[in-house]
Amino acid sequence: MNNRIRPLHRLLALAIGSMVFAIFAPTVVQAADPTVQSLADTTTKLQISIDTTWVLLTGFLVFFMQTGFSMLEAGLLRQRGVVNALLENFVDAAVTILVWWGIGFGIAFGTSAGGFIGTDTFFLSQLPGADGSYPMGAPGSTAAINTYTLFFFQFAFAATASTITTGSMAGRTDFIGDLIYSAIMGAFSYPLIVHWVWNSNGWLFKMGFLDFAGSTVVHTVGGWTALVGAYLLGPRPGRPAWGTIPPAHNLGLAALGTMILWFGWYGFNPGSTLSTGNTGLIGLVILNTTLGAGGGALSAMFYQYFRSGKWDLVYCLNGSLAGLVGVTAGCAFILPWAAVLIGLTGGILVVLGIDLIEAMHIDDPVSAFAVHGINGMMGTLAIGFLGQKELTGGKAGLLLGGGFDLLGVQILGLVAVSAFTIAFAFAMFLGLKAIGKLRVDPEADQIGIDAYEHGATVWPDVYAVEEFVEEQQNHSKKPQIGKFEG
């Protein structure tokens, strides 16, 4: 009996389901039928979401470069100044975020006054709308991401500029002086250059000056500021004769820091697209970035080997950074073969640059000017020689048949940025010197800046053999001291 009823139940369920579907299906189909406008709106929102995620992730990588700078400096410095360098690198980010929020971002991307300086958006004054929407871009940026995301990405760049300077001045700068100049750079000198070059109404931007990710804006500015600071500070105490580089404290940390910086550059350059809309461009930028680093590492290493007969790790590390700096400006405007050429050139220039700074009797512990200043300028000019017409927006480089137009603009921009930065740096550091906050107290030169300013050492539990034996003997006489309990 049950076997006969079961097919009837199935037929009844099917009939009811068909009736429901016949009644409601037209309404469901009509509601789900998208219009062209709704499809466009959905696509736009999806693109903004993807772009925001991309910019945030690459911004995190750029911020992580602060770790790379810290490790690189800690490795290349002498032990007596490592704690000082670590604290300065850490606190630079803390200082920069506050002044960038209050003043720097507005000067950089606010409404332009004559193409020279921003006049609004201070303290991120663009608040969410009454409907809960968030502001997009900034007066000087057409990036299709919200203002807060753009702010964070650009903050990570701003922190890098002052960190470059910190490395060159390491080991003998007054800590309060470091806080002051980091704040001034993040609030005024760096944002002004950003406004000129990256603000859509900046005077160099309108002239067609090209610097995709910061060879000029970040590295040239940081390099020149670092050189002026190191010159006015004078050398570290007890360093060997000029022409002999003081030995590094820990090459393992230096290598680790450099690898972190190379890794972080995959946020620095590709992230500067500020969008994932052109995936081919992102791929080109990543490839050019990597080729530049490889070319710089090899050319510096081999060139130094021919000079010294030794495979030098420090020169290889600096060579890779030089190649990265050099290719940063043009990574979106050149073909891969040009990136290799720029990298190879950067590796040679960093070796010669270190020789030049030593010959000038300027103590630059991490070769900041040779890496960032010299190769930032080289990379800026390289666009004028090797820029690809299809990538630059219409003008080819001099060596590719484009004439002098693009190179002329690059030279003009580089001269203007360098002249302003040098003058500003002299005024800033001479002001610090006048109030006694440039160089640390002479006592610190005697006992070490870590001991004087921080009362600490990076290796507090490492002893010479004699010291260890002496402590063990003293400890055996007083077993109650230091006894482990628990």
Side-chain angles (χ1 to χ4, degrees):
M1 181 69 180
N2 290 337
N3 291 337
R4 294 178 181 177
I5 295 175
R6 190 172 295 130
L8 294 176
H9 288 172
R10 291 175 181 173
L11 288 173
L12 180 61
L14 182 61
I16 294 173
S18 299
M19 182 177 63
V20 170
F21 181 78
I23 294 172
F24 292 104
T27 304
V28 172
V29 170
Q30 183 177 5
D33 182 26
T35 64
V36 173
Q37 183 61 43
S38 66
L39 278 174
D41 292 343
T42 301
T43 301
T44 299
K45 290 179 180 179
L46 180 60
Q47 185 64 53
I48 291 174
S49 298
I50 295 172
D51 290 345
T52 299
T53 303
W54 166 251
V55 173
L56 285 175
L57 289 175
T58 53
F60 299 155
L61 283 177
V62 177
F63 183 78
F64 188 52
M65 292 174 77
Q66 295 292 117
T67 307
F69 280 116
S70 298
M71 295 299 98
L72 176 61
E73 291 179 24
L76 293 181
L77 295 175
R78 292 177 297 180
Q79 180 180 327
R80 56 186 275 160
V82 173
V83 173
N84 178 259
L86 292 174
L87 180 56
E88 286 185 349
N89 275 274
F90 191 90
V91 80
D92 279 356
V95 170
T96 301
I97 183 59
L98 295 179
V99 298
W100 185 251
W101 165 67
I103 303 173
F105 185 74
I107 289 177
F109 291 103
T111 302
S112 184
F116 288 95
I117 188 171
T119 58
D120 55 22
T121 322
F122 301 115
F123 296 96
L124 287 179
S125 55
Q126 294 173 305
L127 298 176
D131 60 351
S133 62
Y134 290 90
M136 298 294 288
S141 173
T142 57
I145 52 177
N146 68 74
T147 306
Y148 303 118
T149 299
L150 177 66
F151 168 87
F152 172 77
F153 185 79
Q154 293 296 341
F155 146 70
F157 274 62
T160 301
S162 61
T163 303
I164 293 170
T165 302
T166 297
S168 185
M169 300 171 63
R172 70 268 200 214
T173 306
D174 185 274
F175 185 69
I176 295 298
D178 173 80
L179 296 179
I180 293 173
Y181 81 68
S182 295
I184 292 173
M185 287 187 69
F188 297 107
S189 62
Y190 172 78
L192 277 171
I193 303 303
V194 172
H195 190 93
W196 296 359
V197 177
W198 287 340
N199 190 298
S200 56
N201 292 303
W203 70 277
L204 283 176
F205 183 95
K206 287 187 172 181
M207 291 185 68
F209 180 84
L210 298 177
D211 180 13
F212 185 72
S215 288
T216 300
V217 175
V218 178
H219 299 286
T220 301
V221 169
W224 276 119
T225 307
L227 184 68
V228 173
Y231 168 73
L232 293 176
L233 270 174
R236 288 167 292 169
R239 63 151 288 158
W242 297 107
T244 303
I245 307 297
H249 145 253
N250 189 319
L251 290 178
L253 288 178
L256 174 63
T258 305
M259 287 301 297
I260 291 173
L261 288 172
W262 187 337
F263 177 63
W265 237 284
Y266 292 127
F268 208 89
N269 288 359
S272 294
T273 59
L274 299 178
S275 171
T276 58
N278 190 339
T279 55
L281 177 62
I282 293 175
L284 176 67
V285 169
I286 292 174
L287 176 58
N288 285 340
T289 299
T290 311
L291 289 172
L298 291 178
S299 63
M301 183 182 69
F302 278 106
Y303 184 44
Q304 181 61 14
Y305 176 80
F306 293 142
R307 300 189 338 154
S308 67
K310 303 295 182 183
W311 301 106
D312 194 298
L313 173 61
V314 173
Y315 277 94
C316 183
L317 298 177
N318 279 331
S320 68
L321 296 177
L324 286 163
V325 170
V327 81
T328 290
C331 55
F333 308 125
I334 58 174
L335 294 182
W337 65 265
V340 174
L341 181 59
I342 290 172
L344 293 173
T345 304
I348 301 297
L349 286 179
V350 77
V351 177
L352 298 176
I354 292 172
D355 289 348
L356 174 64
I357 299 304
E358 284 290 305
M360 295 172 63
H361 293 185
I362 298 176
D363 189 10
D364 186 348
V366 299
S367 305
F369 183 73
V371 171
H372 300 278
I374 291 176
N375 285 285
M377 292 185 286
M378 180 273 291
T380 301
L381 297 178
I383 300 175
F385 289 103
L386 304 172
Q388 197 74 26
K389 180 180 180 180
E390 295 80 4
L391 300 174
T392 62
K395 293 182 179 179
L398 178 64
L399 299 181
L400 299 181
F404 191 76
D405 288 353
L406 181 56
L407 179 59
V409 172
Q410 296 299 105
I411 292 174
L412 173 64
L414 185 59
V415 170
V417 169
S418 298
F420 171 81
T421 302
I422 293 170
F424 192 98
F426 266 107
M428 177 174 66
F429 290 128
L430 286 174
L432 288 176
K433 189 173 184 178
I435 63 174
K437 291 299 179 183
L438 181 60
R439 179 140 187 156
V440 75
D441 190 279
E443 185 181 348
D445 290 341
Q446 300 297 321
I447 66 174
I449 194 170
D450 283 357
Y452 179 83
E453 291 214 319
H454 311 290
T457 173
V458 73
W459 301 114
D461 200 30
V462 176
Y463 306 89
V465 174
E466 296 81 4
E467 293 174 331
F468 180 77
V469 172
E470 181 181 355
E471 181 170 302
Q472 288 295 97
Q473 291 174 345
N474 293 335
H475 183 76
S476 65
K477 297 175 183 178
K478 301 178 181 179
Q480 75 280 8
I481 298 178
K483 181 180 179 181
F484 176 74
E485 297 179 359

